[in-house]
Amino acid sequence: MNPRTDNYKPTRRKPAKRGTPVRNGLLLVLLAVVLTGLVLLLPKEAGTKKAVILADGGENATVSALENPTLAITEIPYTTTTESIKDSIIKANDKGKIKIRKVDDNTADKVEIVIQVSPDESSDKTIDALYAFTDCEVSIAPNSCVIWDEKPHFLGVSEILRRSAEHTKSLLGLELKIRLGELSEAWHAASLERIFIENRLYQLIEGCKSREEAYSAVDKGLEPFKMRLRREVTLEDVQKLT
């Protein structure tokens, strides 16, 4: 005998109450808000305490500030070096444009300039100051030296584009003129052949004893029809017909 099973009496559990659809929807919204808040509070990169500054060729860089007070420059603009970037940061700090404790150049196979920001200064303000007062952002002159009319000229981008467009337009115009000439010659040859066959001018060649005489006879036979053509009939045209 088992006292646990002999005295066992099954009990009926009361069914759980189900909430209304409105109540369930509110709970889901509240849960989503809580989870969203937790996600926003989580650090973007665990164990990372650097804000990454991408200084790229004079354009606005991608800045990701994660945690104060350390910044890291991982890319530098064109025409600069890590030494020049570091020197410009030190000069800006000496002039009071930025407030930093120290700057270290840890560049090896990749660029990495680490900047320790002063405790009383925000990272966002320091990032803006780096672009404004250091070589983290440099302007590059877009003027180019091009050869035009066998002479060097220093031109801007707009002028180069304008002249290139004009040159391209002139080349396209020449190509169209060449194509028009080819089509005109084809039309002229086809028209001569049609006149030569429809008016039976080939019969003029039958009594001729030499080629020159045949050419002269065909040319005289074409005389009434020359006004239909777009250009004069040459000896070469007559030779092609005979």
Side-chain angles (χ1 to χ4, degrees), residues 60-72:
N60 292 332
T62 302
V63 180
S64 177
L66 303 180
E67 187 176 343
N68 286 331
T70 305
L71 304 177

Side-chain angles (χ1 to χ4, degrees), residues 72-89:
I73 302 176
T74 57
E75 291 185 8
I76 60 176
Y78 180 69
T79 70
T80 64
T81 63
T82 56
E83 288 295 330
S84 64
I85 294 289
K86 181 180 177 180
D87 293 341
S88 66
I89 293 173

Side-chain angles (χ1 to χ4, degrees), residues 186-219:
W187 180 88
H188 180 77
S191 299
L192 279 177
E193 290 179 2
R194 182 175 56 82
I195 294 172
F196 184 76
I197 295 173
E198 289 182 354
N199 296 277
R200 300 180 180 180
L201 298 181
Y202 50 84
Q203 294 178 353
L204 301 175
I205 307 175
E206 295 178 357
C208 298
K209 299 180 179 180
S210 63
R211 291 185 179 180
E212 287 74 13
E213 187 178 353
Y215 296 156
S216 177
V218 172
D219 184 61

Side-chain angles (χ1 to χ4, degrees), residues 87-142:
D87 293 341
S88 66
I89 293 173
I90 294 174
K91 290 179 181 179
N93 183 63
D94 295 339
K95 294 179 181 180
K97 301 297 184 180
I98 58 176
K99 294 181 180 181
I100 61 173
R101 290 187 295 174
K102 67 175 182 177
V103 53
D104 298 320
D105 186 3
N106 299 332
T107 301
D109 58 334
K110 295 182 180 180
V111 175
E112 185 180 28
I113 302 176
V114 180
I115 304 171
Q116 299 292 334
V117 184
S118 299
D120 57 342
E121 193 74 7
S122 67
S123 297
D124 293 339
K125 186 177 179 181
T126 303
I127 291 173
D128 295 337
L130 286 172
Y131 286 119
F133 304 110
T134 71
D135 289 344
C136 286
E137 182 174 291
V138 295
S139 59
I140 301 175

